[in-house]
Amino acid sequence: MIRLDNLCKQYRLGGETVTALDHFCLDVAAGEYLSVMGPSGSGKSTLLNMLGLLDQPDSGEYWLNDEAMYQLTEERRAGCRNSQVGFVFQAYHLIDRMTARENIELPLVLNGTAPAERRPQVDTLLQRLGLDKHAEHLPHQLSGGQRQRVAIARAVIRKPALLLADEPTGNLDTHAGGEVIALLEELNEEGITLLVVTHDPAIGERAKRRLWMRDGQLVSDSLEHSGAPA
Ligand code: ADP
Ligand code: MG
């Protein structure tokens, strides 16, 4: 489903050049559950931003469902991002002036879904995530765990194939974080491909496949140690 071929990304900060991704290669099959761990600054967020088509590398190629993403026009790539990828951030990134319901509904508004079709889809998700009592609440009226559940609902309302979460429990206590991870895992069991960046080993170890990064490189992939003999 995903193939990254030698992605390179450098940032220039003042006079210095920082290598965020260094010839990064990865293959991911549909339905996998991966965690990405590694020290701060090792390139985890850069990797997720590439996978989520939020940023572009200096060189390399990204194949998503057999389509070379950097050969596409900006507009077609944005189309892929909107239809195929959901993104969850540490800081939720909800719109403060919109209710939980409106936040979740927003991707459907933006893609032109008719109001009569939007309503039942949002209601289903609100119920399923235990948020029905909070539908009309603004983000500041919700707990951190509830906000992140709203953010997850917004990320999956268009039924993307790929769900990317960058430190999704980073602002949450252990209990709320556990609920958020359980929800992500439930979505994965239903078929969504899931990548979770975390610095919490207890969370990282839950994933079936664990990646470790350092200095923009993949230094360990648990799949390579657990595979069948050659
Ligand atoms: P991680 O998520 O593992 O902490 P990042 O992907 O955020 O790592 O960052 C990798 C490296 O790239 C770091 O050295 C970071 O400082 C640098 N970096 C990331 N984003 C930018 C940016 N927008 N401008 C300059 N440097 C950046
Ligand atoms: Mg990061």
Side-chain angles (χ1 to χ4, degrees):
M1 175 195 190
I2 289 171
R3 167 159 294 174
L4 298 181
D5 181 22
N6 281 295
L7 287 198
C8 293
K9 178 75 176 182
Q10 294 190 324
Y11 292 105
R12 268 146 225 103
L13 256 187
E16 279 190 61
T17 302
V18 175
T19 300
L21 287 179
D22 185 5
H23 298 88
F24 196 96
C25 298
L26 182 70
D27 276 285
V28 177
E32 279 199 85
Y33 172 17
L34 298 94
S35 62
V36 184
M37 290 175 278
S40 177
S42 57
K44 306 181 298 296
S45 293
T46 304
L47 170 67
L48 234 61
N49 290 343
M50 298 294 167
L51 289 169
L53 298 167
L54 300 174
D55 200 356
Q56 262 187 273
D58 301 322
S59 61
E61 189 51 88
Y62 172 15
W63 302 80
L64 179 58
N65 295 323
D66 296 322
E67 219 172 351
M69 288 294 117
Y70 308 133
Q71 311 297 318
L72 299 177
T73 62
E74 178 65 42
E75 196 184 344
R76 298 252 346 255
R77 196 161 46 244
C80 287
R81 175 170 63 233
N82 293 335
S83 63
Q84 306 208 44
V85 188
F87 220 111
V88 177
F89 302 92
Q90 175 172 352
Y92 325 122
H93 292 282
L94 298 175
I95 296 178
D96 294 338
R97 289 169 185 280
M98 289 188 169
T99 63
R101 168 187 296 287
E102 289 165 344
N103 269 284
I104 296 170
E105 194 174 29
L106 188 59
L108 298 180
V109 175
L110 295 177
N111 84 347
T113 306
E117 271 178 62
R118 297 196 304 249
R119 185 109 196 158
Q121 290 183 52
V122 177
D123 283 338
T124 305
L125 263 183
L126 279 165
Q127 245 182 22
R128 142 125 219 246
L129 305 196
L131 291 165
D132 32 345
K133 286 193 207 72
H134 304 289
E136 309 312 326
H137 289 172
L138 295 169
H140 79 265
Q141 298 170 310
L142 301 172
S143 70
Q146 289 164 345
R147 282 185 224 186
Q148 195 60 300
R149 295 214 295 279
V150 170
I152 292 169
R154 180 184 57 183
V156 300
I157 187 92
R158 290 187 62 181
K159 303 187 170 59
L162 176 60
L163 182 55
L164 304 170
D166 195 350
E167 307 264 13
T169 64
N171 288 358
L172 303 176
D173 62 39
T174 309
H175 177 73
E179 286 186 350
V180 159
I181 291 295
L183 172 58
L184 294 173
E185 290 175 349
E186 219 179 285
L187 293 165
N188 169 252
E189 272 155 32
E190 289 169 16
I192 205 165
T193 306
L194 175 63
L195 267 93
V196 180
V197 166
T198 182
H199 59 255
D200 181 344
I203 289 175
E205 279 161 19
R206 294 172 68 116
K208 294 188 189 77
R209 182 175 174 193
R210 298 167 298 278
L211 307 180
W212 278 88
M213 290 183 69
R214 194 194 308 131
D215 298 333
Q217 296 181 325
L218 186 58
V219 291
S220 164
D221 179 349
S222 64
L223 191 69
E224 305 205 330
H225 305 296
S226 63

